[in-house]
Amino acid sequence: MLKLTSIKSEKIWGYELWIASTHPNGLQENLQSFVGGDYPLLVKVIQANDRLSVQVHPDDEKAQLYENSRGKTECWYVLDAEEDATLVYGFNGVYTQSEIRKAINAGSPQDLLRFVKVEKGDFLYIPAGTVHAIGKGLRLLEVQQSCDVTYRLYDWGRGRECHVEKAISVIKNDVFRNVSKFPGAFSCPYFTLEEIIVEDTYFGIIDKYPGKAIPEDYVLIFVEEGSGILNGEKVSAEEIFAFAPGEEIKASGDLSLMKITPAGPKHRP
C-alpha cells in the first residue's frame, strides 16, 4: 500500500488537489514508480469557491486528432455542497453547432444550459463530449481518464482564453442524464467505482492477473469520510492510497471508502 501526497493547483475559482496522478502536468513520481509507468486514471479533489468555466472535453478519437492525447471521460462525487449549490450538466435541449455558436457570440449561452441543484452524496457521470461547469460552493471527488485537455466554451466574462470552435466540434449533446445519489457501484468503459462502508472491519483482496503486473492492475482507495485503520495505518477523510494486484485490504473503524479501479482492456506485454 502506498499513501499518496496531493499536488495543489491554485485557480481563480478555488483550487484542485491532484491526489493520484502520473500525468506530466502533475506527476507523483512515487505513484509512477509503484505502478510501473503511466497510470490511466487521474483523481482530483476540486474546491470551487466560484463557478468554473463552461467547458467540454474531447473523446479518445478527437483528443488523439487534436492533442495527441487520450480523451477525458470523468465523473463527480459530491463531497460537500453549500445550500442551493448548482452546476451545469449538459444542455436543456438539443442544439445545432450554429445555435450554440450564436448563443456564445451573443453572450447568452446560459439560455441553452441545464442547471441542476446538487447536494452532498450526489453522483454525476460526465462522458467526453458533455458540456459542464462546476458551480460555486462545491467540493468534489473527480475520477477521470489521465488527460488534461479542457476546451472552454464560455468563461462568464473573466477574460481567459476560450476554445469555442474546438469545443463545439467535440460536443455530444444528445444524451440526457439525471443526477442521483451514488448507487454503491458504478462502471463505465474507463473506470469502476465501488463504495465500501466499514462499520467495524473489512477485508478484501485486489484482483491479480496472470503474468507481469501492468499499471491498469493497480487500485486506488479514497477515504470519503470517517477515521480508522487501513492496513495498519491510521487514516482520515480525503486521503488516498494505491494498492498492488494481489494485495490485501484490511480496514477497521468507522469509514466510508471509495475503491477506484481502471476498466477497459488491459494490454499485457
Side-chain angles (χ1 to χ4, degrees):
M1 181 181 82
L2 175 68
K3 182 178 181 179
L4 301 176
T5 301
S6 64
I7 299 171
K8 189 173 185 179
S9 177
E10 298 285 353
K11 304 290 184 179
I12 64 170
W13 41 259
Y15 62 85
E16 291 181 342
L17 300 175
W18 289 34
I19 61 174
S21 169
T22 62
H23 193 282
N25 292 349
L27 174 62
Q28 294 168 315
E29 293 183 355
N30 59 346
L31 176 60
Q32 185 180 60
S33 177
F34 187 70
V35 305
D38 175 28
Y39 195 62
L41 302 181
L42 196 166
V43 183
K44 303 175 184 177
V45 170
I46 296 175
Q47 176 62 44
N49 300 323
D50 196 359
R51 58 187 174 182
L52 279 67
S53 62
V54 180
Q55 56 190 240
V56 63
H57 308 300
D59 62 16
D60 289 333
E61 180 182 1
K62 291 290 180 66
Q64 182 63 38
L65 177 65
Y66 293 159
E67 314 291 344
N68 192 30
S69 168
R70 56 166 62 97
K72 188 176 176 183
T73 283
E74 61 190 6
C75 67
W76 295 333
Y77 177 82
V78 181
L79 297 170
D80 200 8
E82 293 181 0
E83 189 176 356
D84 296 324
T86 61
L87 49 73
V88 173
Y89 191 32
F91 288 121
N92 56 27
V94 177
Y95 298 100
T96 65
Q97 291 188 353
S98 177
E99 289 171 325
I100 297 168
R101 189 178 293 108
K102 182 177 179 181
I104 292 169
N105 290 337
S108 57
Q110 59 268 29
D111 294 343
L112 311 185
L113 300 175
R114 179 176 170 232
F115 292 86
V116 295
K117 184 178 177 180
V118 292
E119 57 187 27
K120 182 177 178 179
D122 282 343
F123 177 78
L124 300 91
Y125 174 52
I126 306 166
T130 305
V131 171
H132 59 278
I134 300 171
K136 178 181 179 180
L138 285 168
R139 190 171 182 87
L140 308 175
L141 172 68
E142 179 176 277
V143 178
Q144 59 162 90
Q145 291 177 267
S146 184
C147 169
D148 198 25
V149 178
T150 295
Y151 297 142
R152 292 193 195 104
L153 199 62
Y154 185 71
D155 197 33
W156 315 105
R158 288 186 287 211
R160 293 186 298 172
E161 180 185 6
C162 289
H163 321 88
V164 175
E165 291 308 316
K166 278 188 175 180
I168 288 175
S169 74
V170 305
I171 289 172
K172 301 176 183 178
N173 64 1
D174 57 345
V175 180
F176 184 86
R177 293 178 177 83
N178 290 319
V179 177
S180 62
K181 294 297 180 185
F182 186 70
F186 173 82
S187 185
C188 75
Y190 301 102
F191 45 79
T192 295
L193 277 63
E194 178 189 354
E195 195 168 39
I196 299 170
I197 306 300
V198 182
E199 295 179 336
D200 185 11
T201 60
Y202 169 84
F203 177 81
I205 300 177
I206 304 300
D207 290 339
K208 187 174 183 179
Y209 302 92
K212 183 180 178 180
I214 58 175
E216 288 86 344
D217 294 338
Y218 290 75
V219 171
L220 302 172
I221 300 290
F222 175 78
V223 182
E224 293 176 353
E225 286 187 311
S227 60
I229 305 296
L230 183 61
N231 284 22
E233 183 170 338
K234 187 175 181 180
V235 299
S236 56
E238 297 194 3
E239 293 181 330
I240 192 166
F241 302 83
F243 284 77
E247 190 172 2
E248 295 179 345
I249 305 172
K250 300 176 184 177
S252 61
D254 183 13
L255 291 166
S256 296
L257 308 175
M258 185 69 80
K259 181 181 178 184
I260 303 166
T261 306
K266 300 179 185 292
H267 302 291
R268 301 185 180 281

